[in-house]
Amino acid sequence: MSIKCVNCPIRKSPIFQAMDSETLEYMQRFKVGELVVEPGTPLMSEGSNAPQLYTALSGMGLRYKLLEDGRRQVISFVFPGDFLGLQSGVMREMTHSVEATTNMRLCVFDRSELFNMFRHMPGRGFDLTWLAATQERFLGEAMTSIGQKSATERIAWAMSRVFRHLQAMGEGKGKSVPMPYRQQDLADALGLSLVHTNKTLARMREKQLMSWSDGLLTVSDIEALEELGLVEDDGVASRPLM
Amino acid sequence: MSIKCVNCPIRKSPIFQAMDSETLEYMQRFKVGELVVEPGTPLMSEGSNAPQLYTALSGMGLRYKLLEDGRRQVISFVFPGDFLGLQSGVMREMTHSVEATTNMRLCVFDRSELFNMFRHMPGRGFDLTWLAATQERFLGEAMTSIGQKSATERIAWAMSRVFRHLQAMGEGKGKSVPMPYRQQDLADALGLSLVHTNKTLARMREKQLMSWSDGLLTVSDIEALEELGLVEDDGVASRPLM
DNA sequence: CTCCAGCTATGTCGTAGATTAATGCGGATA
DNA sequence: TATCCGCATTAATCTACGACATAGCTGGAG
């Protein structure tokens, strides 16, 4: 294995820190290999039941849903330490597609093996529920942003969430974190048009709220940005279970 | 008990039909009583960790999130057969609030007792994950509707989902199902203004696409409505586990 | 019976954001 | 070198939707 499990980025993720650490030990046993993919590679697609599950080791991607006519809703960004394919294990099919947007390295698991373990071991299985509930929590927050907030608020919300997460994951240096997406991706994540996203970004850059170019997101005053984005304080996601 | 568990509406729900039926038997043991509430009664609130969990026996309600300034995002409608409080069992706190909008009768469970069971029994615990994943699936769909669809499409989407679900639950008669909400509730669910929702509803009513008044939703051609709402065919939600 | 509160309904107007289109620019290809 | 391609940028125009205002309906409180 090219990465020692001890250094797996998953261990830095707030999501997994809240899980029983034994679960990670168990998961290791079901690792069947690693996978390296290029930007644009589809990892899973909506409606399919992929036999492989992944954790993201490095690089980034997108989860999204498509409408027949091509409109796209980006559900969330995929960062190192994320778990991919929960739904193809629990439901029969993926409810969204996943695609790499940079070079990615992934840790590969066999779906049925891994889920068999989760299904039959009480303590482990509960961590799966935690994962799903965490996703659910995020989606509710995103839905509220898209449904109720202005363009500026939405962008501030998204940027500060990304910034905080990647900082916590140790991905950034100083006041910058990597954010290797196109403006179109952000637009599709927030339910805005590309042009309007661009203009709003420009305005926010002028006002020194943040800057994002060349895949690098720089935020000087994260708290101001969070306030602008009406970000709720996150008392839950990183806290251990009951 | 005023309702026999055998007749619990939960048994009609597609969500629970996909669960291991043994789980329902187990849940019965943890029922601690029933609760009747009036419209407007808050059942759980965002950030709290309610000690009681519920299943809805009759009546309807709302899940929602509030922004500080009062804007409200309705996350989903609550119908008979729904399970309330999953998050306060899995995460430490509810990530949204729940409120009754009609008279409701609820089946009450003790949170820690019930979750203890789920945590320690492998097969049962997996059904919890199924529940959370189902919610996640729905939220992704809602997010896509709010983020990408027009007002008419959103309303068609919401109405056809409600209609199909309540039909399947046996709540309707003929081409009508109960939908006892205010237009404001629908507006907040879809990220639209009340006024625009009202006008769009009027236009759709004129075009005979559907009618909704006095808490009764009537749809003559559900398939046409679904097509208008770009509803994806639901191959997943009602299917049994692997 | 009136009063009031909550809801639906509709018209007018304003605007945030969508659409279209044109320009520029670095990177790849050859 | 030239050509192409994907993406960011910017400006001009349009429109779906929001904001505001008014009126009508219904049911409950006094």
Side-chain angles (χ1 to χ4, degrees), chain A residues 159-178:
Chain A
M159 291 310 210
S160 46
R161 292 229 87 207
V162 167
F163 185 79
R164 284 280 196 204
H165 179 71
L166 291 179
Q167 287 258 95
M169 294 291 291
E171 293 278 342
K173 300 160 194 157
K175 294 176 179 296
S176 297
V177 297

Side-chain angles (χ1 to χ4, degrees), chain A:
Chain A
M1 301 179 198
S2 43
I3 280 199
K4 299 229 175 77
C5 290
V6 190
N7 300 319
C8 181
I10 223 177
R11 291 174 182 267
K12 298 186 211 157
S13 166
I15 300 171
F16 284 86
Q17 275 168 24
M19 292 183 17
D20 191 325
S21 67
E22 249 185 279
T23 298
L24 287 180
E25 306 300 323
Y26 268 94
M27 278 182 66
Q28 290 183 21
R29 307 185 191 173
F30 297 97
K31 176 173 184 174
V32 298
E34 284 189 15
L35 177 65
V36 174
V37 300
E38 304 204 322
T41 311
L43 295 172
M44 325 188 118
S45 54
E46 187 171 352
S48 77
N49 187 1
Q52 318 267 294
L53 303 185
Y54 310 98
T55 53
L57 297 180
S58 68
M60 302 184 179
L62 288 177
R63 300 179 214 256
Y64 62 91
K65 286 169 77 74
L66 291 177
L67 300 182
E68 300 125 354
D69 62 6
R71 277 174 281 178
R72 180 181 70 151
Q73 178 66 42
V74 168
I75 302 293
S76 71
F77 298 127
V78 174
F79 295 129
D82 283 355
F83 185 76
L84 303 177
L86 178 57
Q87 304 199 341
S88 100
V90 180
M91 334 272 289
R92 310 227 343 177
E93 299 171 356
M94 286 297 290
T95 60
H96 57 254
S97 304
V98 185
E99 165 176 323
T101 56
T102 69
N103 288 308
M104 285 188 86
R105 194 167 56 242
L106 303 144
C107 184
V108 186
F109 300 89
D110 179 81
R111 181 180 60 73
S112 57
E113 293 277 322
L114 191 64
F115 268 80
N116 219 35
M117 182 271 281
F118 280 129
R119 278 162 74 82
H120 296 303
M121 304 195 58
R124 312 301 131 242
F126 201 75
D127 283 338
L128 261 200
T129 311
W130 165 266
L131 263 193
T134 300
Q135 271 291 344
E136 188 186 333
R137 172 189 164 77
F138 173 80
L139 291 185
E141 201 183 316
M143 206 170 138
T144 305
S145 296
I146 297 173
Q148 305 299 327
K149 296 179 187 171
S150 72
T152 308
E153 288 167 338
R154 288 185 227 185
I155 291 183
W157 170 77
M159 291 310 210
S160 46
R161 292 229 87 207
V162 167
F163 185 79
R164 284 280 196 204
H165 179 71
L166 291 179
Q167 287 258 95
M169 294 291 291
E171 293 278 342
K173 300 160 194 157
K175 294 176 179 296
S176 297
V177 297
M179 187 168 168
Y181 295 94
R182 294 167 304 155
Q183 295 187 350
Q184 183 71 63
D185 297 326
L186 182 63
D188 288 348
L190 299 179
L192 297 170
S193 73
L194 169 60
V195 178
H196 194 61
T197 301
N198 180 292
K199 274 191 279 197
T200 308
L201 281 169
R203 231 177 300 121
M204 293 174 77
R205 197 183 314 129
E206 283 163 22
K207 291 184 186 162
Q208 321 261 352
L209 289 166
M210 38 128 274
S211 85
W212 176 40
S213 57
D214 303 311
L216 207 64
L217 170 63
T218 307
V219 178
S220 54
D221 186 348
I222 179 63
E223 311 209 337
L225 194 62
E226 282 179 333
E227 188 174 338
L228 181 59
L230 304 174
V231 178
E232 28 187 320
D233 20 74
D234 183 356
V236 175
S238 55
R239 212 180 289 174
L241 291 180
M242 49 182 197

